[in-house]
Amino acid sequence: MFPVHRPRRLRKTEILRKMVRETTLTPQNFIYPMFVVPGRGVKNPISSMPDCFQESVDEAVKTAKDVFSLGIPAIILFGIPEHKDEKASSAYDENGIVQTAVKAIKDALPDLIVITDVCLCEYTSHGHCGIIKNGKIDNDSTLELLALEAVSHARAGADIVAPSDMMDGRVGRIRKMLDDEGFSDVVILSYAAKYASAFYGPFREAAQSAPAFGDRRSYQMDPANRREALREVALDIEEGADIVMVKPALAYLDIISDVKNNFSVPVAAYNVSGEYSMIKAAAQLGWLNEEAVMMEVLTAIKRAGADLILTYFAKKAAKLLNS
């Protein structure tokens, strides 16, 4: 009882606050997302995501060097191809945009962890994450193409492949084909609990992946569901996922916490484009302190249980932490 109990004693100075801080962020917690496009010398600003760009491979190598110099251990690559078709053939082309970027970045920075997004939405003419049959996304025929894509990324030098499509059984199919092709040491980071979220809007501009019709609610999770996330995560781990991800992060901190408390594998969370853009927009209007809100958000995601945070703030946050 007061006056014996005075919790404010431990908040008296910044040094004391740091001594007893329960959650600590470091650049090692971050993964930086990058968008690669064909061409040379290309660095296109993404209008809805300030300070983010679509970059040609040569420019992406420069950015990757900057990222690694800040102590950030990993990047994740999203590709925007020249050619799109109904079978997403550019996704598993050995000379595709992501495959080319992986080779160039690993040649320049062999110690940087390169993760690749494994999905078809950027490569299909209709913008959906799977093959369409009779007007619907056909789960089982999509699995083969996802596995081919993952193997092509591994062959190019990817350290980690990250299936984000939310097809049933895709982790198991990818794991089997990776193993059969001699890539048993390639890690699978599964988008295990990926929700059908309205927070993805700016990303769809960046990756040019908006669906041409309908939506993705038949394969991405219902935002109202919590227990289902644990089922999805358990299935992916059973199929061979090494790391599991919750996406988005801010509106799903309870899911991150549930996954952390129920499973023993590393947990990633994606601080998605809409979460990023809201903060950037409010800061530009002078309504928020960008740096303070950025660090509060990233700390909250880690406090909820994320070991790894995919965030467009990675470079800015790492510079702040390093200073």
Side-chain angles (χ1 to χ4, degrees), residues 125-166:
S125 51
H126 46 72
H128 277 286
C129 302
I131 297 302
I132 294 178
K133 289 187 178 180
N134 301 318
K136 297 180 180 179
I137 309 301
D138 187 74
N139 190 95
D140 294 5
S141 61
T142 298
L143 301 185
E144 185 71 14
L145 301 187
L146 293 169
L148 288 172
E149 182 182 11
V151 167
S152 73
H153 293 173
R155 192 168 284 123
D159 302 287
I160 301 175
V161 294
S164 63
D165 54 282
M166 288 300 287

